[in-house]
């Protein structure tokens, strides 16, 4: 049985009674507290926002201002924390019981890990889950661990093929490619008939998953507790990605800040196609000379021999278990506001982000949003990731592998064998290899 940290508070009831994990793992319910008058609620909360500070951060700060119209005495200390640093930074602070934020925007894979370490409040029975059925099933699933729920979904996403409509039209391509073979042909045609590169493949593990999924591969098999990252299917998928570069159909990725280079080239119309997600829509929309959303095409990622699909991604709101109990009412009020259908519709309209609530899709700001409509089939084709505590540790080795294969020309199977050994030694030692 998983060891339960003594003294970890668990959120319970719509009025935020707390239960404390006692010795032996049994929960003891506290008495219910009266409902809180928003105007009288006083607290100071720190929120770590891990979204892009330039493209997305301002919209979240607008939401905070809206929240304060109802809760004028709840001060939100907004802190933008780089996404790449937040996972380890939060773990370090939570373990030390000092310096952690009251509320965190956590990547979906982080939640089971943080929950397993005792760093998060469980939300079961709280008003945050009073309308649990309104959340989409897959985004909500990422918040579950050991029979309890430790967060609420903020946004869902998956990788799509994003393309420049004007460049494809100039090359005589009437529809986006639906297979990797079609993408290779289209990219070569674009390169021949325009001044742009056909496609840019970001050399990072997450962005190579559509190639591996396309051949029927995956990272681990949680049912059989087996490491499958070094399968022949995954090696075949990586070979397809590398062939795009070796053949000249894809631009050779940069060894430094490949992601930033990809986005710059795409916005400047020097690359016609990229694999990316809805979090970059606002960035592309604001790019001078690109042509706005009218010139941005969005389609599901191309497929391989087995299927087509990108990884299910997104972020969740979670509450630090070390937060003082007197802040609980304010923290829940803030998360409830930020995760409401209205707030999700606001972010959808502003940024093109995909709501995680069914009811949000009934609101005009979402219903009439062309970007959301374009991404819906993308998300529907998304491949679920393993919601296990170790899932957040999969991508360090994957990123190293991506660099080795796409930039250093290492053999795909050999690079995957190295990842499998690292998974066995450091990530999921109980799994078979």
């Amino acid at each position: 049985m998983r060891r339960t940290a003594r003294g970890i508070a668990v959120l319970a009831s719509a009025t935020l009674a707390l239960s404390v994990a006692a010795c032996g793992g049994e929960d003891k319910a506290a008495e219910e507290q009266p409902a809180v008058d928003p105007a009288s609620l006083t607290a100071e909360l720190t929120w770590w926002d891990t979204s892009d500070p330039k493209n997305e951060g301002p919209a979240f700060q607008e939401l905070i201002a809206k929240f304060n119209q109802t809760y004028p005495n709840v001060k939100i200390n907004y802190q933008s924390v780089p996404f790449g640093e937040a996972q380890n930074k939060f773990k370090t602070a939570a373990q030390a019981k000092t310096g952690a934020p009251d509320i965190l925007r956590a990547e979906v894979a982080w939640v089971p890990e943080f929950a397993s370490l005792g760093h998060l409040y469980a939300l079961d029975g709280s008003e945050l889950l009073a309308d649990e059925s309104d959340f989409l099933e897959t985004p909500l699933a990422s918040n579950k661990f050991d029979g309890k729920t430790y967060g609420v979904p903020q946004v869902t996403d998956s990788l799509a093929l994003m393309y420049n409509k004007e460049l494809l039209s100039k090359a005589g391509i009437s529809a986006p490619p639906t297979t990797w073979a079609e993408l290779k042909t289209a990219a070569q045609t674009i390169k021949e008939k325009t001044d742009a590169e056909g496609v840019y493949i970001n050399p990072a593990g997450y962005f190579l998953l559509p190639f591996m999924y396309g051949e029927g591969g995956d990272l681990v098999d949680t049912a059989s507790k087996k490491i499958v990252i070094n399968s022949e299917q995954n090696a075949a998928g990586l070979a397809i990605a590398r062939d795009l570069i070796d053949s000249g159909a894809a631009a050779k990725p940069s060894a430094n800040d490949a992601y930033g280079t990809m986005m710059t080239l795409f916005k400047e119309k020097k690359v016609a196609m990229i694999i990316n997600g809805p979090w970059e829509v606002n960035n592309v929309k604001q790019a001078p000379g690109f042509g706005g959303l009218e010139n941005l095409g969005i389609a599901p990622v191309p497929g391989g021999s087995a299927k087509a699909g990108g990884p299910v991604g997104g972020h969740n709101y979670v509450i630090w278990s070390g937060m003082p109990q007197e802040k609980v009412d304010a923290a829940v009020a803030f998360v409830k506001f930020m995760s409401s259908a209205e707030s999700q519709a606001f972010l959808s309209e502003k940024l093109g982000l995909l709501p995680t609530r069914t009811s949000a899709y009934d609101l005009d700001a979402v219903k009439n949003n062309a970007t959301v409509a374009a991404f819906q089939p993308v998300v529907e084709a998304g491949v679920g990731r393993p919601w296990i505590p170790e899932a957040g540790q999969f991508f360090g080795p994957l990123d190293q592998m991506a660099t080795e294969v796409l930039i250093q020309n290492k053999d795909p199977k050999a690079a995957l064998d190295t990842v499998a050994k690292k998974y066995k030694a450091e990530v999921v030692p109980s799994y078979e290899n």
Side-chain angles (χ1 to χ4, degrees):
M1 180 182 290
R2 181 180 63 90
R3 189 175 175 185
T4 304
R6 233 179 131 178
I8 296 298
V10 181
L11 287 174
S13 91
T15 52
L16 305 178
L18 295 174
S19 62
V20 180
C23 293
E26 295 181 3
D27 290 339
K28 208 177 205 180
E31 293 181 6
E32 289 190 358
Q33 301 170 0
V36 178
D37 174 13
S40 66
L41 190 61
T42 301
E44 185 169 336
L45 301 169
T46 297
W47 177 40
W48 282 6
D49 178 16
T50 57
S51 71
D52 185 285
K54 180 180 178 182
N55 300 318
E56 299 176 292
F60 288 110
Q61 292 179 68
E62 280 189 64
L63 275 181
I64 291 173
K66 290 176 180 288
F67 169 77
N68 282 139
Q69 290 174 8
T70 303
Y71 294 90
N73 298 313
V74 178
K75 180 181 180 182
I76 306 297
N77 292 324
Y78 174 88
Q79 296 182 12
S80 178
V81 178
F83 175 78
E85 301 173 10
Q87 182 182 11
N88 288 332
K89 189 173 181 180
F90 178 81
K91 282 196 294 184
T92 299
Q95 182 67 33
K97 296 183 173 59
T98 181
D102 302 301
I103 299 154
L104 171 71
R105 175 186 181 266
E107 206 272 343
V108 288
W110 301 351
V111 179
E113 178 188 14
F114 294 164
S116 73
L117 297 172
H119 296 334
L120 303 179
Y121 273 115
L123 307 179
D124 304 270
S126 80
E127 61 180 296
L128 290 176
L129 297 178
D131 55 354
E132 182 174 350
S133 62
D134 190 39
F135 288 109
L136 300 176
E137 184 178 353
T138 300
L140 184 64
S142 67
N143 293 284
K144 306 282 187 178
F145 175 72
D146 208 16
K148 293 183 178 179
T149 306
Y150 289 89
V152 293
Q154 179 219 35
V155 65
T156 188
D157 61 51
S158 188
L159 293 173
L161 177 69
M162 299 171 71
Y163 60 95
N164 185 310
K165 293 179 181 178
E166 178 187 346
L167 288 175
L168 264 66
S169 179
K170 280 184 179 179
I173 300 168
S174 58
T178 59
T179 67
W180 295 121
E182 289 179 4
L183 181 135
K184 181 179 179 179
T185 300
Q188 291 171 329
T189 302
I190 290 165
K191 194 169 181 179
E192 291 168 4
K193 296 188 175 181
T194 74
D195 295 328
E197 294 280 357
V199 64
Y200 192 108
I201 306 299
N202 184 37
Y206 191 78
F207 291 80
L208 291 185
L209 288 178
F211 292 94
M212 294 190 277
Y213 291 158
E215 300 307 306
D218 209 332
L219 307 183
V220 296
D221 182 339
T222 55
S224 62
K225 292 196 171 182
K226 187 174 181 180
I227 296 167
V228 296
I229 180 63
N230 55 336
S231 68
E232 294 297 335
Q233 291 93 332
N234 284 338
L238 293 184
I240 291 171
R242 197 167 86 174
D243 175 65
L244 288 171
I245 297 169
D246 291 346
S247 67
K252 187 170 180 59
S254 171
N256 298 308
D257 191 21
Y259 184 93
T261 300
M262 173 179 71
M263 290 310 304
T264 296
L265 292 175
F266 186 67
K267 290 187 294 181
E268 293 178 351
K269 303 202 291 190
K270 295 176 181 176
V271 164
M273 297 180 286
I274 61 173
I275 306 296
N276 218 329
W279 55 87
E280 285 291 359
V281 167
N282 195 50
N283 188 11
V284 175
K285 174 184 174 182
Q286 295 177 344
F290 181 83
L293 296 183
E294 293 76 13
N295 192 37
L296 176 63
I298 297 166
V301 291
S305 63
K307 61 183 177 183
V312 171
H315 292 83
N316 303 318
Y317 292 108
V318 296
I319 300 174
W320 177 39
S321 60
M323 180 189 66
Q325 185 170 341
E326 59 267 24
K327 290 186 178 185
V328 168
D329 285 340
V332 171
F334 179 66
V335 172
K336 183 179 180 182
F337 174 86
M338 296 294 282
S339 62
S340 68
E342 292 74 19
S343 291
Q344 291 192 7
F346 172 83
L347 294 174
S348 181
E349 185 174 31
K350 282 273 184 179
L351 305 174
L353 300 183
L354 308 184
T356 61
R357 285 186 176 274
T358 301
S359 58
Y361 287 88
D362 293 328
L363 301 177
D364 288 343
V366 180
K367 241 189 330 191
N368 302 326
N369 191 310
T371 301
V372 171
F375 267 103
Q376 275 189 284
V378 172
V379 172
E380 288 169 3
V383 179
R385 291 153 62 188
W387 306 128
I388 58 176
E390 299 86 357
Q393 304 302 317
F394 285 145
F395 289 96
L398 274 185
D399 288 342
Q400 179 62 35
M401 176 276 297
T403 297
E404 292 172 351
V405 172
L406 297 190
I407 295 178
Q408 299 171 1
N409 293 318
K410 186 173 180 178
D411 175 71
K413 185 63 168 64
L416 289 170
D417 284 339
T418 299
V419 176
K421 289 175 183 175
K422 200 167 187 72
Y423 281 4
K424 177 66 177 175
E426 300 178 11
V427 184
V428 281
S430 64
Y431 278 42
E432 292 181 20
N433 183 7

